[in-house]
Amino acid sequence: MNITSQIKQPILTEMELFEKKFYESMSSKVALLNRITYYIVNRKGKQMRPMFVFLTAKMVSEGKVNERTYRGACVIELIHTATLVHDDVVDDSNRRRGFFSLNALWKNKIAVLVGDYLLSKGLLLSIDNGDFDLLRIISVAVREMSEGELLQIEKARRLDITEEVYYDIIRKKTATLIAACCALGAQSVIDDEVQVKNMHRFGELIGMAFQIKDDLFDYTDDAIGKPTGIDIKEQKMTLPLIHVLNTCTAKEKSWLINSIKNHNKDKKRVKEVITFVKNNNGLAYAEQKMLQFQQEALQLLTHYPDSPFKEALILMVNYVINRKI
């Protein structure tokens, strides 16, 4: 049994029912929209976000979930899907999870409108059922995701990202949605602000570790057999590079910045940058930080009694940093 199936094991029933409810939550009277949402549902990813919602809910409530938990999971997945659709338009990307993206099949205008539709369906699902506490958690996440993306764009132009700013970017861009899943799972079943905050922080830490792992893929050859250097080509400042920029000599820093600004399409130069970052402790430093976030996340689970749900969350935390792709 692969690791994702193991994680899903204690919530199999919930995930099956969730899939039905998720598909229903997207329904429309417009035939074109239904064709597109059918396409989306049939090309789903690992569904890690709903898994976080159900596992967290069950861990904090001795195995209970309710209709609010299902609605929360649907809203998170609707909003996550909307952001992916919009991301593909922004990045002019034609593929998503090995399939054609919506904008590749139906063009940008339709993709943007579908993204807006999914977002509004998510908001209405909460409002129509009076889940204003859940809506607040999700709305903060959406705001932060937009801020994170824009902060990254602003900083990439100047290549002046400090480690502190980098953490702020990845916390908003990636970690905030996972944090929302965990907080929302807890909030849907218990009325305990301390535990909800605890779970929010847990998700945030996993999200930080997840993003650093993603950044490392650009330099390591685990995922696809060779380093890609895509982040360098796109002038994205990630942790391995930031650390090296902050610790190398002024002359080396000047060469690195010049390489990223003016030679980021030159394969040989990108390869040299990757080698330089590796040789100057960039990867080791980023891995160490990733493990710190992972350990801090695991620490937050020690307060909870042992259960299959807690075990699955521990598996999830370890999977995030051990995954190969």
Side-chain angles (χ1 to χ4, degrees):
M1 190 188 294
N2 70 22
I3 190 89
T4 322
S5 305
Q6 274 177 271
I7 294 165
K8 244 183 211 180
Q9 205 57 39
I11 49 165
L12 271 178
T13 315
E14 286 80 9
M15 288 302 289
E16 276 176 23
L17 184 52
F18 159 75
E19 285 194 24
K20 289 194 187 86
K21 287 177 182 285
F22 178 56
Y23 186 49
E24 284 164 14
S25 72
M26 290 196 280
S27 69
S28 159
K29 291 188 173 71
V30 178
L32 173 62
L33 256 172
N34 286 332
R35 268 207 308 281
I36 295 171
T37 53
Y38 181 78
Y39 181 82
I40 290 169
V41 167
N42 284 293
R43 279 146 194 83
K44 60 182 182 292
K46 295 187 188 78
Q47 294 187 309
M48 279 174 73
R49 285 153 195 85
M51 282 156 70
F52 272 123
V53 173
F54 291 116
L55 288 170
T56 310
K58 294 190 97 169
M59 182 185 72
V60 303
S61 69
E62 296 173 350
K64 296 183 195 74
V65 295
N66 55 33
E67 279 305 312
R68 268 162 57 81
T69 319
Y70 284 103
R71 287 197 297 270
C74 285
V75 173
I76 283 280
E77 197 66 352
L78 282 164
I79 285 171
H80 174 58
T81 308
T83 60
L84 294 183
V85 171
H86 283 164
D87 279 354
D88 287 339
V89 174
V90 171
D91 298 338
D92 202 15
S93 172
N94 289 323
R95 312 286 289 183
R96 167 70 61 185
R97 298 179 184 132
F99 296 97
F100 283 116
S101 59
L102 292 197
N103 48 303
L105 292 172
W106 284 284
K107 304 297 175 223
N108 284 349
K109 186 175 181 179
I110 289 176
V112 169
L113 293 169
V114 169
D116 291 347
Y117 173 76
L118 295 173
L119 191 62
S120 65
K121 284 294 259 191
L123 299 177
L124 284 167
L125 184 59
S126 294
I127 292 165
D128 290 347
N129 291 283
D131 298 328
F132 298 109
D133 52 345
L134 306 185
L135 186 57
R136 174 174 285 278
I137 292 170
I138 293 156
S139 300
V140 169
V142 174
R143 184 198 71 206
E144 292 204 321
M145 283 157 70
S146 309
E147 284 177 353
E149 287 286 356
L150 289 163
L151 182 59
Q152 185 172 47
I153 291 166
E154 179 193 332
K155 294 294 180 182
R157 285 179 181 156
R158 298 206 299 268
L159 300 185
D160 64 347
I161 295 185
T162 61
E163 201 170 315
E164 202 179 322
V165 170
Y166 165 80
Y167 290 136
D168 195 27
I169 289 170
I170 69 167
R171 185 184 63 74
K172 287 179 166 171
K173 219 182 84 155
T174 305
T176 192
L177 193 62
I178 298 174
C181 295
C182 298
L184 195 140
Q187 181 78 53
S188 71
V189 288
I190 55 169
D191 184 16
D192 182 333
E193 202 180 324
V194 174
Q195 285 201 67
V196 171
K197 275 188 177 164
N198 198 33
M199 285 296 96
H200 188 276
R201 180 66 180 149
F202 168 74
E204 193 171 82
L205 290 162
I206 296 174
M208 303 285 274
F210 182 92
Q211 187 56 56
I212 295 172
K213 179 69 174 180
D214 254 16
D215 294 348
L216 284 163
F217 281 144
D218 209 44
Y219 292 90
T220 54
D221 37 20
D222 288 0
I224 46 174
K226 62 178 191 297
T228 60
I230 286 168
D231 288 341
I232 296 165
K233 286 170 193 144
E234 293 180 355
Q235 299 189 19
K236 275 186 191 158
M237 304 288 281
T238 60
L239 189 54
L241 182 60
I242 290 164
H243 176 69
V244 171
L245 278 169
N246 289 337
T247 51
C248 65
T249 65
K251 191 180 171 188
E252 287 166 335
K253 185 172 183 174
S254 170
W255 173 80
L256 272 173
I257 286 177
N258 182 33
S259 301
I260 295 156
K261 263 192 172 163
N262 306 314
H263 304 280
N264 55 13
K265 302 287 187 281
D266 177 342
K267 282 183 184 170
K268 184 170 173 285
R269 191 73 168 258
V270 168
K271 211 171 178 182
E272 284 169 12
V273 170
I274 288 172
T275 306
F276 186 83
V277 170
K278 278 183 177 175
N279 293 344
N280 285 270
N281 212 29
L283 302 200
Y285 181 80
E287 274 170 15
Q288 176 204 330
K289 287 291 178 187
M290 175 180 75
L291 289 169
Q292 277 177 17
F293 285 123
Q294 178 220 21
Q295 289 308 311
E296 218 183 309
L298 289 173
Q299 193 58 39
L300 288 172
L301 294 183
T302 55
H303 311 298
Y304 293 94
D306 289 340
S307 68
F309 320 113
K310 179 178 166 179
E311 285 306 309
L313 281 170
I314 292 168
L315 261 181
M316 186 89 103
V317 175
N318 294 330
Y319 166 71
V320 157
I321 66 159
N322 295 324
R323 65 202 165 96
K324 297 283 183 242
I325 195 157

PDB file of all heavy atoms in Angstrom, residues 13 16 33 69 76 83 94 100 106 147 150 153 166 176 202 211 220 227-228 259 276 308:
ATOM      1  N   THR A  13     -14.148   6.342   4.361  1.00  0.00           N
ATOM      2  CA  THR A  13     -15.597   6.587   4.232  1.00  0.00           C
ATOM      3  C   THR A  13     -15.864   8.066   4.000  1.00  0.00           C
ATOM      4  O   THR A  13     -16.653   8.442   3.120  1.00  0.00           O
ATOM      5  CB  THR A  13     -16.326   6.146   5.527  1.00  0.00           C
ATOM      6  OG1 THR A  13     -15.803   4.884   5.906  1.00  0.00           O
ATOM      7  CG2 THR A  13     -17.811   6.036   5.326  1.00  0.00           C
ATOM      8  N   GLU A  16     -14.824   9.264   0.472  1.00  0.00           N
ATOM      9  CA  GLU A  16     -15.752   8.828  -0.583  1.00  0.00           C
ATOM     10  C   GLU A  16     -16.993   9.722  -0.615  1.00  0.00           C
ATOM     11  O   GLU A  16     -17.435  10.163  -1.677  1.00  0.00           O
ATOM     12  CB  GLU A  16     -16.173   7.366  -0.355  1.00  0.00           C
ATOM     13  CG  GLU A  16     -15.164   6.388  -0.916  1.00  0.00           C
ATOM     14  CD  GLU A  16     -15.524   4.941  -0.608  1.00  0.00           C
ATOM     15  OE1 GLU A  16     -16.716   4.653  -0.361  1.00  0.00           O
ATOM     16  OE2 GLU A  16     -14.601   4.103  -0.616  1.00  0.00           O
ATOM     17  N   LEU A  33     -20.342  24.956 -18.077  1.00  0.00           N
ATOM     18  CA  LEU A  33     -19.731  24.890 -16.746  1.00  0.00           C
ATOM     19  C   LEU A  33     -19.703  23.462 -16.223  1.00  0.00           C
ATOM     20  O   LEU A  33     -18.706  23.004 -15.669  1.00  0.00           O
ATOM     21  CB  LEU A  33     -20.525  25.762 -15.771  1.00  0.00           C
ATOM     22  CG  LEU A  33     -19.883  27.105 -15.409  1.00  0.00           C
ATOM     23  CD1 LEU A  33     -20.860  27.938 -14.606  1.00  0.00           C
ATOM     24  CD2 LEU A  33     -18.591  26.923 -14.634  1.00  0.00           C
ATOM     25  N   THR A  69     -17.972  19.750   8.720  1.00  0.00           N
ATOM     26  CA  THR A  69     -16.644  19.270   8.292  1.00  0.00           C
ATOM     27  C   THR A  69     -16.649  19.036   6.779  1.00  0.00           C
ATOM     28  O   THR A  69     -15.708  19.428   6.080  1.00  0.00           O
ATOM     29  CB  THR A  69     -16.268  17.957   9.023  1.00  0.00           C
ATOM     30  OG1 THR A  69     -16.667  18.042  10.392  1.00  0.00           O
ATOM     31  CG2 THR A  69     -14.781  17.711   8.947  1.00  0.00           C
ATOM     32  N   ILE A  76     -12.756  24.476   0.941  1.00  0.00           N
ATOM     33  CA  ILE A  76     -11.294  24.517   0.769  1.00  0.00           C
ATOM     34  C   ILE A  76     -10.909  24.009  -0.622  1.00  0.00           C
ATOM     35  O   ILE A  76     -10.109  24.608  -1.319  1.00  0.00           O
ATOM     36  CB  ILE A  76     -10.586  23.650   1.858  1.00  0.00           C
ATOM     37  CG1 ILE A  76     -10.551  24.392   3.196  1.00  0.00           C
ATOM     38  CG2 ILE A  76      -9.179  23.256   1.436  1.00  0.00           C
ATOM     39  CD1 ILE A  76      -9.475  25.444   3.351  1.00  0.00           C
ATOM     40  N   THR A  83      -7.858  28.682  -7.350  1.00  0.00           N
ATOM     41  CA  THR A  83      -6.525  29.313  -7.397  1.00  0.00           C
ATOM     42  C   THR A  83      -5.625  28.596  -8.407  1.00  0.00           C
ATOM     43  O   THR A  83      -4.830  29.233  -9.091  1.00  0.00           O
ATOM     44  CB  THR A  83      -5.836  29.340  -6.011  1.00  0.00           C
ATOM     45  OG1 THR A  83      -5.681  28.006  -5.540  1.00  0.00           O
ATOM     46  CG2 THR A  83      -6.633  30.139  -5.001  1.00  0.00           C
ATOM     47  N   ASN A  94       0.160  25.150 -19.843  1.00  0.00           N
ATOM     48  CA  ASN A  94      -0.774  24.319 -20.616  1.00  0.00           C
ATOM     49  C   ASN A  94      -1.034  22.957 -19.992  1.00  0.00           C
ATOM     50  O   ASN A  94      -1.856  22.197 -20.484  1.00  0.00           O
ATOM     51  CB  ASN A  94      -0.249  24.112 -22.040  1.00  0.00           C
ATOM     52  CG  ASN A  94      -0.332  25.403 -22.837  1.00  0.00           C
ATOM     53  OD1 ASN A  94      -1.287  26.157 -22.678  1.00  0.00           O
ATOM     54  ND2 ASN A  94       0.667  25.673 -23.652  1.00  0.00           N
ATOM     55  N   PHE A 100      -4.111  18.412 -19.810  1.00  0.00           N
ATOM     56  CA  PHE A 100      -4.227  19.794 -20.293  1.00  0.00           C
ATOM     57  C   PHE A 100      -4.902  20.652 -19.222  1.00  0.00           C
ATOM     58  O   PHE A 100      -5.846  20.214 -18.565  1.00  0.00           O
ATOM     59  CB  PHE A 100      -5.050  19.853 -21.588  1.00  0.00           C
ATOM     60  CG  PHE A 100      -4.281  19.410 -22.802  1.00  0.00           C
ATOM     61  CD1 PHE A 100      -4.663  18.277 -23.504  1.00  0.00           C
ATOM     62  CD2 PHE A 100      -3.167  20.133 -23.222  1.00  0.00           C
ATOM     63  CE1 PHE A 100      -3.934  17.855 -24.616  1.00  0.00           C
ATOM     64  CE2 PHE A 100      -2.446  19.725 -24.328  1.00  0.00           C
ATOM     65  CZ  PHE A 100      -2.834  18.582 -25.026  1.00  0.00           C
ATOM     66  N   TRP A 106      -9.900  25.515 -23.003  1.00  0.00           N
ATOM     67  CA  TRP A 106     -11.031  26.437 -23.176  1.00  0.00           C
ATOM     68  C   TRP A 106     -10.630  27.920 -23.254  1.00  0.00           C
ATOM     69  O   TRP A 106     -11.478  28.793 -23.212  1.00  0.00           O
ATOM     70  CB  TRP A 106     -12.043  26.250 -22.043  1.00  0.00           C
ATOM     71  CG  TRP A 106     -12.886  25.024 -22.190  1.00  0.00           C
ATOM     72  CD1 TRP A 106     -13.933  24.851 -23.032  1.00  0.00           C
ATOM     73  CD2 TRP A 106     -12.754  23.797 -21.460  1.00  0.00           C
ATOM     74  NE1 TRP A 106     -14.469  23.601 -22.883  1.00  0.00           N
ATOM     75  CE2 TRP A 106     -13.759  22.919 -21.926  1.00  0.00           C
ATOM     76  CE3 TRP A 106     -11.882  23.335 -20.478  1.00  0.00           C
ATOM     77  CZ2 TRP A 106     -13.923  21.629 -21.437  1.00  0.00           C
ATOM     78  CZ3 TRP A 106     -12.039  22.048 -19.988  1.00  0.00           C
ATOM     79  CH2 TRP A 106     -13.047  21.210 -20.461  1.00  0.00           C
ATOM     80  N   GLU A 147      -1.498  38.029  -1.345  1.00  0.00           N
ATOM     81  CA  GLU A 147      -0.398  38.880  -0.866  1.00  0.00           C
ATOM     82  C   GLU A 147       0.956  38.199  -1.086  1.00  0.00           C
ATOM     83  O   GLU A 147       1.921  38.836  -1.503  1.00  0.00           O
ATOM     84  CB  GLU A 147      -0.570  39.169   0.634  1.00  0.00           C
ATOM     85  CG  GLU A 147      -1.642  40.189   0.933  1.00  0.00           C
ATOM     86  CD  GLU A 147      -1.855  40.406   2.431  1.00  0.00           C
ATOM     87  OE1 GLU A 147      -1.266  39.660   3.247  1.00  0.00           O
ATOM     88  OE2 GLU A 147      -2.609  41.326   2.777  1.00  0.00           O
ATOM     89  N   LEU A 150       2.010  38.299  -4.762  1.00  0.00           N
ATOM     90  CA  LEU A 150       2.405  39.655  -5.175  1.00  0.00           C
ATOM     91  C   LEU A 150       3.719  40.086  -4.523  1.00  0.00           C
ATOM     92  O   LEU A 150       4.542  40.748  -5.158  1.00  0.00           O
ATOM     93  CB  LEU A 150       1.288  40.654  -4.869  1.00  0.00           C
ATOM     94  CG  LEU A 150       0.061  40.501  -5.776  1.00  0.00           C
ATOM     95  CD1 LEU A 150      -1.144  41.191  -5.183  1.00  0.00           C
ATOM     96  CD2 LEU A 150       0.350  41.042  -7.173  1.00  0.00           C
ATOM     97  N   ILE A 153       6.486  38.493  -6.500  1.00  0.00           N
ATOM     98  CA  ILE A 153       6.708  39.197  -7.779  1.00  0.00           C
ATOM     99  C   ILE A 153       7.486  40.488  -7.533  1.00  0.00           C
ATOM    100  O   ILE A 153       8.446  40.803  -8.239  1.00  0.00           O
ATOM    101  CB  ILE A 153       5.350  39.485  -8.483  1.00  0.00           C
ATOM    102  CG1 ILE A 153       4.720  38.168  -8.968  1.00  0.00           C
ATOM    103  CG2 ILE A 153       5.542  40.462  -9.642  1.00  0.00           C
ATOM    104  CD1 ILE A 153       3.256  38.280  -9.372  1.00  0.00           C
ATOM    105  N   TYR A 166      11.535  35.742   2.732  1.00  0.00           N
ATOM    106  CA  TYR A 166      11.259  34.457   2.075  1.00  0.00           C
ATOM    107  C   TYR A 166      10.253  33.643   2.891  1.00  0.00           C
ATOM    108  O   TYR A 166       9.289  33.106   2.351  1.00  0.00           O
ATOM    109  CB  TYR A 166      12.560  33.667   1.894  1.00  0.00           C
ATOM    110  CG  TYR A 166      12.352  32.205   1.562  1.00  0.00           C
ATOM    111  CD1 TYR A 166      12.048  31.798   0.263  1.00  0.00           C
ATOM    112  CD2 TYR A 166      12.434  31.226   2.556  1.00  0.00           C
ATOM    113  CE1 TYR A 166      11.835  30.456  -0.037  1.00  0.00           C
ATOM    114  CE2 TYR A 166      12.230  29.886   2.261  1.00  0.00           C
ATOM    115  CZ  TYR A 166      11.933  29.510   0.968  1.00  0.00           C
ATOM    116  OH  TYR A 166      11.722  28.184   0.675  1.00  0.00           O
ATOM    117  N   THR A 176      -0.420  28.977   4.233  1.00  0.00           N
ATOM    118  CA  THR A 176      -1.675  29.504   4.785  1.00  0.00           C
ATOM    119  C   THR A 176      -2.889  28.630   4.437  1.00  0.00           C
ATOM    120  O   THR A 176      -3.805  28.486   5.240  1.00  0.00           O
ATOM    121  CB  THR A 176      -1.902  30.972   4.344  1.00  0.00           C
ATOM    122  OG1 THR A 176      -2.964  31.517   5.116  1.00  0.00           O
ATOM    123  CG2 THR A 176      -2.237  31.110   2.871  1.00  0.00           C
ATOM    124  N   PHE A 202       0.035  24.094  13.306  1.00  0.00           N
ATOM    125  CA  PHE A 202       0.484  22.789  12.822  1.00  0.00           C
ATOM    126  C   PHE A 202       0.492  22.765  11.284  1.00  0.00           C
ATOM    127  O   PHE A 202       1.475  22.401  10.654  1.00  0.00           O
ATOM    128  CB  PHE A 202      -0.438  21.694  13.391  1.00  0.00           C
ATOM    129  CG  PHE A 202      -0.267  20.340  12.756  1.00  0.00           C
ATOM    130  CD1 PHE A 202       0.838  19.556  13.042  1.00  0.00           C
ATOM    131  CD2 PHE A 202      -1.221  19.847  11.873  1.00  0.00           C
ATOM    132  CE1 PHE A 202       0.994  18.295  12.451  1.00  0.00           C
ATOM    133  CE2 PHE A 202      -1.077  18.608  11.280  1.00  0.00           C
ATOM    134  CZ  PHE A 202       0.033  17.823  11.571  1.00  0.00           C
ATOM    135  N   GLN A 211       6.978  23.632   1.161  1.00  0.00           N
ATOM    136  CA  GLN A 211       7.500  24.560   0.155  1.00  0.00           C
ATOM    137  C   GLN A 211       9.025  24.483   0.053  1.00  0.00           C
ATOM    138  O   GLN A 211       9.584  24.556  -1.046  1.00  0.00           O
ATOM    139  CB  GLN A 211       7.069  25.992   0.467  1.00  0.00           C
ATOM    140  CG  GLN A 211       7.431  26.994  -0.625  1.00  0.00           C
ATOM    141  CD  GLN A 211       6.872  26.627  -1.987  1.00  0.00           C
ATOM    142  OE1 GLN A 211       5.674  26.452  -2.142  1.00  0.00           O
ATOM    143  NE2 GLN A 211       7.725  26.492  -3.006  1.00  0.00           N
ATOM    144  N   THR A 220      18.084  19.355  -6.753  1.00  0.00           N
ATOM    145  CA  THR A 220      18.434  17.944  -6.585  1.00  0.00           C
ATOM    146  C   THR A 220      17.870  17.125  -7.726  1.00  0.00           C
ATOM    147  O   THR A 220      16.943  17.562  -8.410  1.00  0.00           O
ATOM    148  CB  THR A 220      17.868  17.409  -5.251  1.00  0.00           C
ATOM    149  OG1 THR A 220      16.466  17.683  -5.203  1.00  0.00           O
ATOM    150  CG2 THR A 220      18.526  18.078  -4.063  1.00  0.00           C
ATOM    151  N   PRO A 227      18.723  18.005 -12.090  1.00  0.00           N
ATOM    152  CA  PRO A 227      18.253  19.298 -11.560  1.00  0.00           C
ATOM    153  C   PRO A 227      17.628  20.118 -12.685  1.00  0.00           C
ATOM    154  O   PRO A 227      18.088  20.060 -13.821  1.00  0.00           O
ATOM    155  CB  PRO A 227      19.531  19.965 -11.046  1.00  0.00           C
ATOM    156  CG  PRO A 227      20.571  18.899 -11.026  1.00  0.00           C
ATOM    157  CD  PRO A 227      20.170  17.872 -12.026  1.00  0.00           C
ATOM    158  N   THR A 228      16.589  20.842 -12.376  1.00  0.00           N
ATOM    159  CA  THR A 228      15.870  21.558 -13.430  1.00  0.00           C
ATOM    160  C   THR A 228      16.278  23.026 -13.549  1.00  0.00           C
ATOM    161  O   THR A 228      16.278  23.577 -14.629  1.00  0.00           O
ATOM    162  CB  THR A 228      14.351  21.506 -13.182  1.00  0.00           C
ATOM    163  OG1 THR A 228      14.104  22.121 -11.924  1.00  0.00           O
ATOM    164  CG2 THR A 228      13.846  20.077 -13.148  1.00  0.00           C
ATOM    165  N   SER A 259      24.215  36.410 -12.874  1.00  0.00           N
ATOM    166  CA  SER A 259      23.808  35.152 -13.531  1.00  0.00           C
ATOM    167  C   SER A 259      22.291  35.025 -13.561  1.00  0.00           C
ATOM    168  O   SER A 259      21.701  34.657 -14.582  1.00  0.00           O
ATOM    169  CB  SER A 259      24.383  33.945 -12.784  1.00  0.00           C
ATOM    170  OG  SER A 259      25.778  34.018 -12.745  1.00  0.00           O
ATOM    171  N   PHE A 276      27.304  25.878  -7.648  1.00  0.00           N
ATOM    172  CA  PHE A 276      27.822  26.823  -6.654  1.00  0.00           C
ATOM    173  C   PHE A 276      26.981  26.779  -5.374  1.00  0.00           C
ATOM    174  O   PHE A 276      27.508  26.754  -4.261  1.00  0.00           O
ATOM    175  CB  PHE A 276      27.834  28.246  -7.229  1.00  0.00           C
ATOM    176  CG  PHE A 276      28.486  29.260  -6.320  1.00  0.00           C
ATOM    177  CD1 PHE A 276      29.867  29.411  -6.299  1.00  0.00           C
ATOM    178  CD2 PHE A 276      27.714  30.035  -5.457  1.00  0.00           C
ATOM    179  CE1 PHE A 276      30.468  30.330  -5.439  1.00  0.00           C
ATOM    180  CE2 PHE A 276      28.301  30.958  -4.596  1.00  0.00           C
ATOM    181  CZ  PHE A 276      29.690  31.107  -4.590  1.00  0.00           C
ATOM    182  N   PRO A 308      -5.676   6.411  15.234  1.00  0.00           N
ATOM    183  CA  PRO A 308      -5.319   6.213  13.816  1.00  0.00           C
ATOM    184  C   PRO A 308      -5.199   7.550  13.068  1.00  0.00           C
ATOM    185  O   PRO A 308      -4.430   7.675  12.121  1.00  0.00           O
ATOM    186  CB  PRO A 308      -6.483   5.389  13.252  1.00  0.00           C
ATOM    187  CG  PRO A 308      -7.201   4.836  14.420  1.00  0.00           C
ATOM    188  CD  PRO A 308      -6.934   5.729  15.584  1.00  0.00           C
TER     189      PRO A 308
END
